[in-house]
Amino acid sequence: MIQFDILTIFPKMIDSYANESILGRAQKAKLIKVNSHDLRTYTADKHHKVDDTPYGGGPGMIMKVEPFDLALKKIKKGKKTCVILTAANGKTFSQADARRLAKFTQVIFLCGRYEGIDARVEEHLVDETFSIGNYVLTGGELPALVMTDAIARNIPGVLGAEASLNKESHTEEGYLEYPQYTKPEVYVKKGLLKKKQAWSVPEILLSGDHKKIEAWREEQSKKKTTRR
Ligand code: SAM
């Protein structure tokens, strides 16, 4: 059982995603637990202020240290806990990180908003700082959910068919999955087209020859890998 604790000023954003689909089922099966925590409840002032102006001047507001410190004091459990700061200037999160973090018993995500979080949080309260890509989002909630999802998939039992995890993109360095198809065999494009368009599944996949299919898939994976 791994517990994810996500510190945010928008806890409902977390709950709506984490209670559906694979994460929702994994929670019901007690394989994972995803808790959202409202940072405003961890403020000492009566206005529940979580942000203030930056020292040295500049635009926007910065999230204060106090709510993160108080929340962590209450939530952080013990040794196998990893506290992760979401930040656009962090190390880029990878599948290898997802696999590694799946071995912790508690993963805590700190979500920033506005212009970010007082740097003393990163200096004193976190174990790792992750970005989910080279772009800036309005908050850390989507990154926290992206990482929670990627980590959870590596916990035995979370995915219905464990086999699908073994053959997925990025499970080995540089490996990208081959293209997949489902019914119908021929899809006729809908819409007001002059000529009918028919898109067929590659014949090899209908051949029933598993050796050839395996070889074709391997070839397609290589093509994908060399495309970038
Ligand atoms: N001023 C910051 C900068 O230039 O790096 C951006 C702050 S951003 C608007 C607000 C919050 O969104 C950040 O504190 C972080 O929690 C989150 N965030 C934005 N982009 C992110 C990314 N690519 N990866 C992870 N977190 C991100």
Side-chain angles (χ1 to χ4, degrees), residues 18-208:
N19 293 332
E20 297 287 336
S21 186
I22 287 183
L23 293 190
R25 282 200 299 275
Q27 290 202 77
K28 282 195 189 116
K30 303 212 180 313
L31 295 167
I32 66 165
K33 180 85 184 84
V34 184
N35 301 316
S36 60
H37 302 273
D38 188 348
L39 282 165
R40 290 192 197 280
T41 62
Y42 295 96
T43 45
D45 74 297
K46 64 176 180 180
H47 301 294
H48 304 293
K49 202 168 152 56
V50 293
D51 60 328
D52 215 324
T53 53
Y55 278 116
M61 301 294 271
I62 305 297
M63 291 187 79
K64 291 154 73 72
V65 179
E66 186 181 66
F68 292 101
D69 185 29
L70 293 179
L72 284 172
K73 209 168 158 197
K74 173 117 189 264
I75 293 159
K76 203 174 160 183
K77 279 183 177 164
K79 281 183 200 156
K80 287 226 87 187
T81 293
C82 188
V83 180
I84 295 173
L85 177 69
T86 60
N89 62 2
K91 180 186 153 214
T92 308
F93 186 75
S94 70
Q95 183 70 18
D97 294 312
R99 264 199 305 271
R100 178 173 57 79
L101 289 162
K103 300 202 171 80
F104 282 80
T105 52
Q106 185 184 28
V107 178
I108 304 178
F109 290 104
L110 313 186
C111 303
R113 280 267 152 182
Y114 317 118
E115 285 306 313
I117 303 173
D118 187 314
R120 286 170 289 188
V121 168
E122 182 172 21
E123 289 160 11
H124 303 288
L125 295 174
V126 313
D127 299 308
E128 303 195 40
T129 303
F130 281 118
S131 159
I132 59 159
N134 291 342
Y135 38 78
V136 177
L137 299 162
T138 49
E141 291 74 17
L142 286 172
L145 284 170
V146 164
M147 291 186 263
T148 298
D149 192 306
I151 295 166
R153 291 173 66 82
N154 287 282
I155 295 161
V158 165
L159 296 181
E162 301 272 333
S164 71
L165 189 60
N166 299 331
K167 277 270 176 184
E168 279 189 319
S169 302
H170 308 294
T171 39
E172 279 168 39
E173 189 66 35
Y175 175 81
L176 297 175
E177 196 182 59
Y178 45 81
Q180 302 253 44
Y181 301 83
T182 186
K183 293 183 180 68
E185 252 177 68
V186 180
Y187 179 79
V188 180
K189 190 176 180 339
K190 308 284 187 295
L192 296 169
L193 288 173
K194 281 182 192 146
K195 257 199 228 164
K196 271 193 178 171
Q197 283 186 335
W199 303 332
S200 301
V201 170
E203 258 177 47
I204 182 91
L205 297 178
L206 312 172
S207 68

Side-chain angles (χ1 to χ4, degrees), residues 207-225:
S207 68
D209 186 331
H210 294 294
K211 267 196 174 162
K212 277 191 183 161
I213 291 173
E214 202 52 45
W216 179 86
R217 285 179 165 168
E218 212 170 286
E219 187 56 32
Q220 296 296 314
S221 287
K222 277 187 201 142
K223 269 194 199 164
K224 283 226 158 207
T225 316

